[in-house]
Amino acid sequence: MVWTEIRNGGDITVNIYGYIRVSTREQNEDRQLIALREISIPEQNIFMDKQSGKDFDRPQYKRLLRKLKKDDLLYVKSIDRLGRNYGEILEQWRILTKEKGIDIVVLDMPLLDTRRGKDLMGTFLSDIVLQVLSFVAENERTNIRQRQAEGIAAAKARGVRFGRPPGPLPENYHSAYQRWKAGKITGTAAAKECGMPLSTFRDKAVIYEKEKFL
């Protein structure tokens, strides 16, 4: 879609684009897609990444960046869809608005509309809002990681195991273990008999004893 706007007394052709990001392939992008379609952004001008927002190394975002030209207009649903890293959001915002010379509209936050308030005060207010929201987005990401870590630690304390279940022990493990435990063979020899590294043999021995398989 192409808009023609009058800026500083002259007509300027403006291409409009939309950017969507979801963190994983399982997440649904419909909410963002509907919001962009409601403002009549053409499908070919909507770019979507299914990737983490920790950085901007995303294929569709890079493709969008190459497409954007001076005076174009970019819509995103919310600031955390652009990214979640505080420093990198601010840097990308600078690249888009200062180096590329485009305007950005964040639909969930009307104050983040660079078409408005081009004067010093408007720019100042927009910068403050952007910094606050970027900080909140990254802080929430940090909190999520902390909650996940605390949840995993609590589950482990309850005896919950994570990862793939251990494979079955070799048929001769009991015999090798008994002779190793009795000092008749070395751990290296026992591990070799069982076809596993010494470290694995010892790890299995700990589990073997704990589970009382003897």
Side-chain angles (χ1 to χ4, degrees), residues 139-159:
N139 193 54
E140 177 59 19
R141 178 169 162 258
T142 301
N143 289 339
I144 288 172
R145 287 202 306 265
Q146 182 176 344
R147 288 194 295 268
Q148 287 174 337
E150 290 172 350
I152 290 171
K156 285 182 175 178
R158 296 194 305 270

Side-chain angles (χ1 to χ4, degrees), residues 15-21 32-33 35-37 39 41-49 60-61 64 68 73-77 105 107:
N15 294 298
I16 67 167
Y17 296 90
Y19 180 70
I20 293 172
R21 184 188 65 80
Q32 297 175 69
L33 195 56
L36 296 181
R37 283 172 174 166
I39 50 179
I41 299 177
E43 296 293 326
Q44 67 270 21
N45 283 9
I46 296 176
F47 293 78
M48 178 172 63
D49 282 306
Q60 289 303 307
Y61 181 80
L64 169 64
L68 291 168
L73 179 59
L74 173 64
Y75 284 91
V76 292
K77 182 73 169 70
V105 177
L107 294 172

Side-chain angles (χ1 to χ4, degrees), residues 60-71:
Q60 289 303 307
Y61 181 80
K62 288 180 175 178
R63 184 166 163 253
L64 169 64
L65 209 57
R66 291 193 295 270
K67 281 254 187 190
L68 291 168
K69 300 291 187 294
K70 181 176 170 53
D71 297 317

